[in-house]
Amino acid sequence: MSPPEHSFRPGPFSDPQKKKNPTVSLTFFFFGGGGGVTSRPVLHLRLEVEDEPGEGPKMSVAGLKKQFYKASQLVSEKVGGAEGTKLDDDFRDLERKVDVTSKAVVEVISKTSEYLQPNPASRAKLSMLNTMSKIRGQVKNPGYPQAEGLLGECMSKYGRDLGEETNFGGALVDVGESMKRLAEVKDSLDIDVKQNFIDPLQGLCDKDLREIQHHLKKLEGRRLDYDYKKKRQGKIPDEELRQALEKFHESKEVAENSMYNLLETDIEQVSQLSSLVESQLQYHRQAVQVLEELSDKLRDRMSDAQTRPRREYTPKPKPILDIGDNNHSNGSYSTSMAPPPSRNSAPEQPSCKALYDFEPENEGELGFREGDIITLTNQIDENWYEGMLNGQSGFFPLNYVEVLVPLPH
């Protein structure tokens, strides 16, 4: 069975004023035995036309012819199973390592950005705002809303609303201000990591790795051209075949040198990783300092609150309803107030007030809670009393209570 015929359709060339080589698009259709065209193209190629010094006006024709040779060879390999010139194992190993390096750099840049700015919605909004700032010519771009800053704003707001003179309100303000300081430290980390880690890696991506990809693409084009001419040796002039081989080896050497140099200077990437770690260390040191200062402040607040005397709540006097004189009261409250109950009025019978909780450990001891009023019935010695509480009688230590009404002598 004869191989399928193919045809090509050239596409438009790019602007000749640009530095990039002009390109040509080739679309191949495959015909069956009946001569009908398949319903859609099987292969669409976009190849670069190489600059040939000295060819001048012939460039468009010669370049198009060369692209046809390359496309024909590529179709023979992809569809017909023809074998092209194999590159040596050392070259393939370099190519594999460069490919892994390229993927690693792109992925690490992406994941580092997510680490510094974990909220995808905020990242997208920030990117849009930065673009708008560049369009408007604004120098200062809006920063990423750090979670610590948002939490600090919330705490400071409610702390001031509650009142800084209160324990909780003052503590909220302290913690809120420290959180905002942490947000500033995190902003510094973002800037350091971008300048010393992300930007150098992005430069590696945009320059060195892109240049290597250009050399590899050019090498592949020259290989296809050489293999096509080698397959038609005898029909192609020997000088043209020799030039194709020389160009192939020249491109191979350039690509190999560029990959080798990249991999041999990978200590630069180690230096960039070191900068990332140093930026993180600096961030954590500053964060620890802020948190230690905050911890000392909160400890001092707790200590002051414990030593400060507790204010007793004194209820306001209850108004007395005067219903004695209907002509004047009209059901309203009179201005006379009932006197507040005296907290210091002591009971008439011998008694004492518990200063602390006392848990009985031995049989016959009387347990009580702080504030309980205990009726005194007897003093056993200079350290122990006997008393009654809630119908229970027992012994308890004298230093746990304050005597309100002493026992009669």
Side-chain angles (χ1 to χ4, degrees), residues 204-401:
L204 177 70
C205 229
D206 295 341
K207 184 181 177 183
D208 296 344
L209 290 171
R210 183 172 293 179
E211 184 178 336
I212 289 173
Q213 288 304 317
H214 169 73
H215 292 319
L216 290 173
K217 185 186 292 185
K218 192 169 185 178
L219 171 63
E220 178 65 7
R222 288 184 169 180
R223 182 195 69 78
L224 290 170
D225 181 59
Y226 167 68
D227 284 343
Y228 177 85
K229 293 175 179 176
K230 182 176 68 171
K231 188 169 62 174
R232 285 157 181 78
Q233 191 171 4
K235 299 179 182 179
I236 300 289
D238 292 342
E239 179 63 21
E240 193 173 334
L241 180 61
R242 185 186 62 79
Q243 288 179 359
L245 179 61
E246 286 179 357
K247 287 181 180 179
F248 168 64
H249 284 306
E250 176 189 332
S251 287
K252 179 177 179 293
E253 185 178 354
V254 171
E256 198 166 20
N257 281 337
S258 64
M259 292 190 294
Y260 181 82
N261 291 335
L262 174 74
L263 297 175
E264 281 298 304
T265 57
D266 61 354
I267 191 63
E268 294 180 10
Q269 283 74 65
V270 178
S271 173
Q272 290 149 13
L273 284 169
S274 176
S275 297
L276 170 65
V277 174
E278 286 298 323
S279 297
Q280 289 176 304
L281 273 174
Q282 181 67 14
Y283 161 71
H284 287 293
R285 287 192 194 103
Q286 293 177 346
V288 165
Q289 182 180 354
V290 171
L291 292 174
E292 283 180 343
E293 292 175 4
L294 174 61
S295 179
D296 291 341
K297 277 187 179 180
L298 294 178
R299 249 195 309 268
D300 292 341
R301 278 191 176 277
M302 289 188 292
S303 177
D304 291 344
Q306 290 173 353
T307 56
R308 192 184 308 133
R310 183 178 177 180
R311 294 182 301 173
E312 293 288 341
Y313 171 70
T314 304
K316 294 181 179 179
K318 297 178 181 179
I320 300 175
L321 181 62
D322 185 3
I323 58 174
D325 188 353
N326 292 333
N327 294 329
H328 295 90
S329 68
N330 291 325
S332 63
Y333 288 105
S334 69
T335 56
S336 61
M337 299 292 179
S342 174
R343 285 184 168 267
N344 297 325
S345 58
E348 295 180 359
Q349 58 183 348
S351 59
C352 61
K353 180 180 179 181
L355 299 176
Y356 317 100
D357 294 349
F358 176 66
E359 296 292 341
E361 297 180 357
N362 301 306
E363 186 178 355
E365 294 180 347
L366 178 67
F368 48 77
R369 300 292 179 192
E370 179 183 352
D372 287 346
I373 303 299
I374 307 165
T375 302
L376 294 175
T377 56
N378 189 22
Q379 181 170 1
I380 306 304
D381 54 29
E382 68 270 9
N383 297 320
W384 289 84
Y385 275 128
E386 181 182 10
M388 293 187 63
L389 176 65
N390 298 329
Q392 299 290 326
S393 177
F395 308 106
F396 55 89
L398 181 146
N399 57 354
Y400 272 67
V401 299

